[in-house]
């Protein structure tokens, strides 16, 4: 049984709003690196049952891919408390994915929110 959730424009907002920590794999069936990354992502999902692992098929959900400016796939994104804290194109090896998840778990989200607010305030003044 898959421990990943297929994300669509219908369930995306609810999934991200109702869960503190969501990993998102942007992929497509024709993409070789995406197919290579899939078992690594699936294993990470099984190893981290407390987190939500979502997959967005960029062919079936072009609006979501466009909304996030996805230029190449696979792209991994991590959203904590509705803030994207990580986004990187390319298939990660298992050790790198485990490391990224660990780093994202340790983030002080109060600090992240302050940084985002400061960045937004700074960009408004230009």
């Amino acid at each position: 049984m898959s421990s990943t959730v297929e994300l669509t424009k219908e369930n995306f907002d609810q999934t991200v709003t109702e869960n503190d920590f969501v990993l998102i794999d942007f992929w497509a069936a024709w993409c070789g690196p995406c197919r290579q990354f899939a078992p690594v992502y699936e294993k990470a999902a099984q190893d981290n049952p407390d987190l939500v692992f979502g997959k967005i098929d960029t062919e079936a959900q072009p609006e979501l891919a466009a909304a996030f400016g996805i230029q190449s796939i696979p792209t991994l994104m991590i959203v904590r408390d509705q803030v994207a804290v990580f986004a990187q194109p390319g298939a990660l090896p298992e050790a790198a994915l485990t490391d990224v998840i660990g780093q994202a778990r340790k983030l002080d989200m109060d600090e992240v929110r302050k940084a985002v607010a400061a960045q937004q305030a700074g960009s408004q003044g230009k």
Side-chain angles (χ1 to χ4, degrees), residues 82-98:
Q82 302 172 46
V83 177
V85 296
F86 178 85
Q88 179 178 308
L92 294 173
E94 184 177 345
L97 179 57
T98 300

Side-chain angles (χ1 to χ4, degrees), residues 10-31:
E10 289 76 24
N11 72 358
F12 181 85
D13 287 341
Q14 181 179 3
T15 302
V16 171
T17 303
E18 291 180 356
N19 297 282
D20 297 339
F21 198 124
V22 182
L23 292 93
I24 305 164
D25 174 22
F26 290 88
W27 69 285
W30 52 263
C31 164

Side-chain angles (χ1 to χ4, degrees), residues 25-39 55-60 70-76 88-92:
D25 174 22
F26 290 88
W27 69 285
W30 52 263
C31 164
C34 298
R35 289 195 303 271
Q36 291 173 330
F37 181 58
K55 292 178 76 72
I56 295 177
D57 181 344
T58 57
E59 295 286 297
I70 300 303
Q71 300 290 319
S72 72
I73 52 175
T75 289
L76 175 68
Q88 179 178 308
L92 294 173

Side-chain angles (χ1 to χ4, degrees), residues 64 95 109:
L64 284 175
M109 289 310 294

